[in-house]
Amino acid sequence: MKHESAEECGGLPAEALADVERFLQYMAVEKGASEHTLSAYRRNFRLFVEWMGGRFESWQACTEDVFRAWLYEAMQQQLKPASIRQRFASLRSLYAYLMRKAGLSSNPLAELTLPRARVGLPVHLSLHQMEELLSLPLRTPVDKKSPEWLPYRDAAILELFYSCGIRLSELVSLNADALMHGEDCVRVVGKGRKVRLVPVGEYAKEAIVRYLERAVPDPEGPLFLSRLGRRMTGRSVQLMLDKYLRCSDIPFHISPHKLRHTFATHLLDAGADLRSVQELLGHSSLSTTQIYTHVTKTRMQQVYRQAHPRAEDIDEEP
């Protein structure tokens, strides 16, 4: 980690660079931050350092006016509010750490007003589209050079996404022993290395069993294998999903995260309570899960307007 962070923020003076390295170490060890999160921190620090150029002296010397100027430039470039907020969240976290651990007296970003992020409704598949996608691996022609277990692996991956709503990073990190024998649950290591047990439906269990019978992965190794017998990467899962989307009638692009959205939305549509869905998704805050209530409310309103005889406005005068 030390070499990587030094490479990412090479324009910093030695003392400021050491602060960054200690912060990243703290986030990794004490907060359980994922490598994806740490990479985002490094990238955001690098962007700030590149913008500062030779003007950077120390973290203590950076004022609110400096960050206000960087914010102004980002807004002039018409960056998305979410991207701007992520950049400044990284720096706010660094300054909060320096105040606790390095005796810094104030956080120059504390009072900075950032553009409000636009909240979009999660894109998800309908039940019919999801069922079509789940059926594709076992009825799509297979490359003769591919292992015979490959379509069964793909079917198991898609069933597990839809059955459990797990993140892509959680899926590729699963080991072959993650499906707990005697219990209808899979053991998932989520953000912050928090472990949670997620129920697995019968279709997903059967798909995993069919795959395991053919692929026979090492019980202590990865659950989902690449063609070469190694652990699958997130990119290889996306490429697999893209392959089946090209064979489907689904009219928009789908990522593994949209399958997670589909899982949550279908649960709420069927009457699941928000708190249970929060726990299944592994959200630390209920507010993160509440975005899905907007989806179900929107659909409910559409159904009401279409079905109720007195739902539409009457144009005639009383």
Side-chain angles (χ1 to χ4, degrees), residues 8-63:
E8 289 285 335
C9 304
L12 288 175
E15 184 177 349
L17 181 58
D19 287 334
V20 169
E21 291 170 350
R22 284 191 290 268
F23 167 71
L24 294 173
Q25 185 72 13
Y26 164 80
M27 293 300 298
V29 175
E30 297 194 31
K31 295 296 184 179
S34 67
E35 186 55 42
H36 176 77
T37 299
L38 298 176
S39 294
Y41 281 129
R42 295 186 193 104
R43 181 176 62 253
N44 293 329
F45 295 152
R46 186 193 72 239
L47 290 171
F48 177 68
V49 171
E50 290 174 350
W51 177 79
M52 284 290 287
R55 295 174 295 157
F56 187 96
E57 298 176 6
S58 67
W59 295 114
Q60 290 82 351
C62 293
T63 64

Side-chain angles (χ1 to χ4, degrees), residues 152 156 179 181 202-217 223-224:
Y152 295 92
L179 191 63
H181 298 292
E202 288 299 322
Y203 285 94
K205 282 196 299 181
E206 291 175 6
I208 292 171
V209 168
R210 288 196 297 267
Y211 159 65
L212 290 175
E213 288 174 347
R214 290 165 174 81
V216 195
L223 173 58
F224 294 117

Side-chain angles (χ1 to χ4, degrees), residues 140-148 150-151 227 243:
T140 300
V142 182
D143 185 339
K144 293 181 179 180
K145 297 180 181 180
S146 300
E148 62 90 17
L150 197 71
R227 294 169 184 261
K243 178 181 73 172

Side-chain angles (χ1 to χ4, degrees), residues 13 73 86 130 135 141 151 183 192 216 220 226 241 246 260-261 265 288 312:
E73 183 168 311
Q86 186 196 57
M130 192 69 232
S135 71
E183 297 184 33
V216 195
E220 297 182 358
S226 69
L241 183 55
R246 289 193 294 269
R260 181 169 159 88
H261 293 328
T265 303
T288 309
E312 296 294 338

